């Protein structure tokens, strides 16, 4: 089958190890099932994999991709939960120390077919296209958990989203607005700041700019480049929810003094549960909120999508179709 896979790692030139070519059809273990992929979306995770972050050399070649929407073995329209937990694990899948994401231990979704545990398949409502549904399992689920589970945000609170153009960030803006929050967003790019306003941000700012008021919470996926600003943006007792370090994890200043003096909370967040993914799907079905899709490309042109993400060009999600 056609697949987009990592053949080697390069931290500085991640696209060097990216191959679009033939891979064997997947074997189906007991309790697992095959989904025929109609659409799959690109995540920064796929670039990290090509850089050798989170993926082991012995696992190569590895088909990339965490997210997919497609058809199950009976022809039903479905989407795939990307978190694969140990078969013996019960409870919150994201807390299973043996969990992995598709494309880390098990082959990913950028292919004609993906094989997943039966429990990882959830129904796709007809109101969502395959392209839209393919945006949900990683970026949008991560945003949902950051805001409503780990962040515990309530209507009427104010949230700052750093780095507005990203897949997770656009999801954060749209979901926060739909849930009745006041939404501030930053971006390095003027055009992306305008797009963030159109998407639902109440006010937008250049990265690092002083805000008119202190916020209740900051949603952080950028890391080193925005961390200090994130801490300074919070009012007393405020919360940073962090799920990523796109610009790097090594902070120039962790702002510890401010964190303890203002009694701030720093909370990690990773992906979400199958139950939370189902709730996210219901939320989109009920509200009409839809993922922002930057571009749709055939899987055979995956290189172009990866290059756009590596260059930080996109606003929203990059989707591959079969
Ligand atoms: N923990 C989890 O479960 C989880 C799940 C999903 C994603 N993540 C992580 O979250 C991060 C975002 O993922 P994504 O898929 O949304 O990536 P993405 O679509 O590539 O977005 C990255 C965004 O970060 C901002 N950015 C990058 N470098 C920056 C810099 N130097 N200064 C300011 N802003 C910068 C950019 O915003 P502007 O261009 O608008 O400034 C860009 O749009 C990644 O690191 C990813 O690994 C983690």
């Amino acid at each position: 089958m056609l697949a987009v896979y990592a053949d080697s790692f390069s931290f500085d030139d991640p696209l060097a190890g990216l191959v679009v070519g033939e891979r064997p059809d997947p074997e189906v273990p007991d309790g697992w099932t095959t989904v025929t992929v109609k659409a799959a979306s690109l995540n920064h995770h796929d670039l990290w994999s090509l850089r050798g972050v989170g993926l082991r050399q012995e696992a190569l070649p590895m088909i990339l991709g965490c997210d997919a929407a497609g058809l199950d073995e009976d022809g039903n329209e479905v989407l795939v939960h990307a978190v694969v937990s140990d078969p013996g694990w019960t409870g919150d899948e994201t807390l299973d120390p043996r969990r992995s994401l598709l494309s880390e231990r098990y082959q990913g979704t950028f292919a004609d077919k993906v094989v997943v545990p039966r429990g990882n398949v959830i129904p796709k409502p007809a109101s969502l296209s395959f392209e839209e549904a393919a945006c949900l399992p990683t970026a949008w689920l991560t945003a949902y958990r950051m805001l409503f589970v780990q962040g515990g945000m309530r209507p009427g609170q104010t949230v700052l989203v750093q780095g507005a153009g990203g897949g997770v960030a656009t999801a954060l803006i749209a979901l926060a607005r739909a849930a009745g929050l006041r939404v501030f967003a930053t971006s390095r790019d003027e055009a992306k700041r305008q797009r963030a306003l159109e998407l639902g941000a109440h006010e937008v700012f250049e990265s690092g700019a002083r805000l008119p008021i202190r916020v209740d919470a900051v949603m952080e996926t950028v890391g080193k480049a925005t961390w200090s600003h994130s801490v300074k943006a919070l009012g007393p007792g405020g919360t940073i929810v962090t799920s990523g370090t796109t610009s790097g994890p090594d902070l120039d200043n962790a702002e510890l003094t401010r964190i303890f003096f203002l009694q701030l909370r720093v909370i990690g967040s990773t992906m979400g549960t199958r139950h939370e993914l189902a709730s996210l799907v219901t939320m989109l079905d009920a509200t009409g909120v839809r993922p922002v899709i930057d571009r749709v490309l055939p899987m055979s042109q995956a290189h172009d999508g990866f290059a756009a993400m590596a260059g930080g060009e996109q606003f929203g999600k990059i989707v591959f179709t079969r």
Side-chain angles (χ1 to χ4, degrees):
M1 63 177 181
L2 184 84
V4 178
Y5 60 95
D7 203 31
S8 61
F9 302 136
S10 167
F11 193 86
D12 295 325
D13 182 15
L15 271 66
L18 181 66
V19 181
V20 179
E22 288 295 313
R23 295 294 303 149
D25 276 14
E27 309 228 323
V28 189
D30 278 352
W32 290 48
T33 188
T34 304
V35 172
T36 301
V37 176
K38 292 286 193 186
S41 79
L42 181 63
N43 289 289
H44 219 92
H45 183 275
D46 302 304
L47 272 181
W48 289 126
S49 297
L50 288 165
R51 290 190 168 112
V53 178
L55 185 58
R56 290 165 301 112
Q57 182 77 35
E58 318 77 271
L60 297 181
M62 175 61 78
I63 299 174
L64 298 169
C66 300
D67 299 349
L71 301 174
D72 72 8
E73 289 169 354
D74 299 320
N76 301 305
E77 298 188 352
V78 297
L79 58 155
V80 169
H81 183 214
V83 183
V84 181
S85 49
D86 192 78
W89 181 261
T90 54
D92 184 329
E93 299 95 309
T94 66
L95 297 177
D96 176 3
R98 291 181 52 78
R99 76 176 188 277
S100 67
L101 299 190
L102 291 173
S103 78
E104 290 176 352
R105 192 176 309 152
Y106 306 107
Q107 300 294 319
T109 59
F110 295 164
D112 290 329
K113 294 173 197 160
V114 61
V115 168
V116 296
R118 283 188 192 285
N120 283 55
V121 174
I122 74 164
K124 176 184 92 57
S127 62
L128 290 174
S129 67
F130 285 115
E131 288 84 351
E132 290 164 344
C135 297
L136 304 184
T138 296
W140 277 66
L141 177 60
T142 298
Y144 180 95
R145 185 174 173 94
M146 289 174 77
L147 284 167
F148 307 127
V149 182
Q150 302 299 76
M153 303 283 323
R154 297 187 305 279
Q157 292 188 306
T158 301
V159 65
L160 170 65
V161 177
Q162 298 279 22
V168 178
T170 50
L172 286 164
I173 293 169
L175 291 174
R177 179 68 190 240
L181 298 168
R182 173 181 292 277
V183 184
F184 293 169
T186 66
S187 175
R188 297 166 293 175
D189 181 78
E190 169 60 20
K192 290 185 185 179
R193 290 196 288 275
Q194 286 308 313
R195 296 283 305 276
L197 283 174
E198 292 161 20
L199 177 59
H202 292 90
E203 292 186 60
V204 290
F205 306 90
E206 288 180 32
S207 301
R210 190 180 179 87
L211 305 182
I213 58 167
R214 301 261 188 251
V215 300
D216 297 300
V218 183
M219 300 295 131
E220 247 298 344
T221 59
V222 180
K224 181 182 170 75
T226 53
W227 184 263
S228 180
H229 180 250
S230 295
V231 177
K232 290 174 183 157
L234 286 171
T239 303
I240 295 182
V241 183
T242 170
S243 76
T245 56
T246 305
S247 62
D250 300 319
L251 303 176
D252 299 322
N253 182 353
E255 305 287 357
L256 287 180
T257 307
R258 193 176 277 261
I259 288 175
F260 72 70
F261 192 68
L262 293 179
Q263 303 188 70
L264 307 179
R265 300 188 307 150
V266 176
I267 297 180
S269 193
T270 282
M271 299 296 285
T273 65
R274 179 190 194 281
H275 183 69
E276 286 157 10
L277 180 58
S279 297
L280 167 65
V281 169
T282 302
M283 181 177 175
L284 266 54
D285 193 36
T287 58
V289 171
R290 293 292 177 268
V292 182
I293 296 178
D294 176 81
R295 70 195 77 184
V296 178
L297 298 167
M299 218 172 266
S300 55
Q301 292 174 22
H303 268 101
D304 296 345
F306 276 82
M309 178 171 276
E313 290 169 21
Q314 81 280 15
F315 185 87
K317 295 289 292 173
I318 296 168
V319 176
F320 301 139
T321 51
R322 278 305 285 154

